[in-house]
Amino acid sequence: MTPPPGADHHGEPRRVGDRHPLSHPPAGTTPVAERGLLRRVIACLSLVLLLCSCGWVAPVSSGGFEERAREVAARWQGSADDQAWRRGFVALETLNPHGWAHVDQVPAWVNTSSHNGAWRLATELPAGSPRDADVRWPDGEVTRVPLVTAARAYQEFSKPADLIEEECPAKGCRPLRVTGAELGRVPLRTSRGTIQAPAWLFTVEGVEQRKVHVAVDPSAVTARPERAQGDAEEVMAYDLVTGRPHDLRLQYGHGACSTVRGARAYETGQVVVVGVDEESLDSDTVCPAILKTDTTTVTLAGPLGDRLLLDSGTGLPVLRGLNGP
């Protein structure tokens, strides 16, 4: 006979505050042991939730890859991003990050003073500096670019950072006194290769390394294209293979429980679109939700040459230079 609602399995009504029969601890356990058991159960459930992946991206079939690659190639070829990447000035690093960039390590107090804007101008900055300068690209082409003045450069880097990582000590930051400035050159990575970019080099009292500020006017620089929301990067970097002109070494990311069967390539006369053939476990499988990196080789129909390598996941250029072994 089924007990009425609110009654136990003997038919006796339960009072408010009574525990459900299933909530009773196993025989022989004490309230302390019960709490310990509960903690272990919660810990185990937390671990399970931590290990469960959020569901890896479903693998793309061979036909699906070619369709996606054809779309990526058509969208990129001849676009404004394509023109800027090949013929414009696209920096692959921040021109002038706040702090002490483009130089070796500096003493800790220097970075603290810099981030807090503890700058002092102890000299007259060059007034008759050139308004523009040549930039020579690795292929030999030369572009004339506008420059910022030394005064504007000082005005930009002497401001306090938006986010102060370490505030000045109670007695105040040690001031950074600028005692001189001259126009020089520093290496800068761009989409067309590494160049020697015009830069203001500021001499600071008591600091061996000079403060560097790239002098190229930001108006001459095109922002690096960004991936669209929801796009997942497949190929992270690449390099050529010595003695094998048709082969490329690709660095890619994959799930901890995924099986990568190799790489795929779609070629046109202007670009090569690459991706990895990844087979992922279904979302019900317990798997660490971490990204692992590895390398593989893809063989092209012809040498890469001056064609651009594009990632099939994001549709953006893949940079040359593998990280790690």
Side-chain angles (χ1 to χ4, degrees), residues 5-306:
D8 63 16
H9 63 288
H10 295 297
E12 296 294 329
R14 292 195 299 270
R15 296 182 299 275
V16 175
D18 285 352
R19 290 187 298 181
H20 191 279
L22 293 181
S23 69
H24 290 185
T29 59
T30 64
V32 173
E34 182 183 357
R35 290 195 296 271
L37 177 62
L38 181 59
R39 284 195 296 268
R40 288 196 297 274
V41 170
I42 292 175
C44 290
L45 288 174
S46 300
L47 181 59
V48 169
L49 291 174
L50 178 65
L51 292 176
C52 286
S53 78
C54 297
W56 301 107
V57 177
V60 179
S61 65
S62 177
F65 166 77
E66 186 168 338
E67 181 180 354
R68 165 67 177 171
R70 189 182 296 112
E71 176 189 331
V72 165
R75 186 169 62 241
W76 180 269
Q77 292 174 158
S79 66
D81 284 336
D82 186 23
Q83 295 298 322
W85 194 273
R86 295 178 185 274
R87 314 306 314 166
F89 194 137
V90 180
L92 300 183
E93 54 185 297
T94 304
L95 284 186
N96 293 298
H98 205 286
W100 222 270
H102 306 288
V103 297
D104 295 330
Q105 188 175 359
V106 295
W109 73 267
V110 173
N111 277 321
T112 301
S113 295
S114 177
H115 275 78
N116 284 272
W119 291 91
R120 303 291 184 272
L121 190 57
T123 186
E124 289 188 7
L125 298 176
S129 56
R131 300 181 61 180
D132 48 29
D134 288 339
V135 167
R136 184 174 297 276
W137 305 100
D139 63 2
E141 185 178 337
V142 177
T143 302
R144 198 79 177 166
V145 296
L147 304 180
V148 299
T149 64
R152 178 177 166 184
Y154 175 79
Q155 182 182 30
E156 289 178 357
F157 71 69
S158 60
K159 299 176 183 177
D162 294 332
L163 176 62
I164 304 298
E165 298 177 356
E166 182 179 352
E167 296 184 357
C168 290
K171 62 180 181 180
C173 279
R174 180 175 170 181
L176 294 164
R177 302 183 186 280
V178 174
T179 59
E182 64 175 338
L183 195 60
R185 300 266 175 172
V186 293
L188 182 73
R189 293 176 64 236
T190 75
S191 61
R192 299 168 66 179
T194 300
I195 63 171
Q196 292 296 317
W200 286 108
L201 310 177
F202 293 86
T203 302
V204 180
E205 184 179 85
V207 184
E208 182 180 354
Q209 298 90 342
R210 289 193 287 185
K211 169 66 177 176
V212 175
H213 189 92
V214 174
V216 179
D217 193 302
S219 64
V221 181
T222 301
R224 182 176 174 179
E226 298 181 353
R227 73 177 69 174
Q229 185 174 3
D231 284 349
E233 183 180 54
E234 288 193 26
V235 178
M236 308 161 71
Y238 82 96
D239 218 334
L240 305 178
V241 179
T242 304
R244 292 153 56 186
H246 289 224
D247 289 353
L248 297 177
R249 196 69 180 162
L250 307 179
Q251 185 173 45
Y252 62 91
H254 63 92
C257 299
S258 300
T259 300
V260 177
R261 304 188 183 282
R264 297 180 284 206
Y266 173 83
E267 304 181 47
T268 74
Q270 300 179 42
V271 301
V272 175
V273 183
V274 290
V276 291
D277 183 6
E278 178 182 358
E279 182 177 339
S280 304
L281 297 175
D282 58 68
S283 58
D284 294 330
T285 302
V286 177
C287 183
I290 59 175
L291 178 70
K292 301 181 70 175
T293 60
D294 211 333
T295 59
T296 188
T297 300
V298 65
T299 300
L300 307 181
L304 181 63
D306 61 358

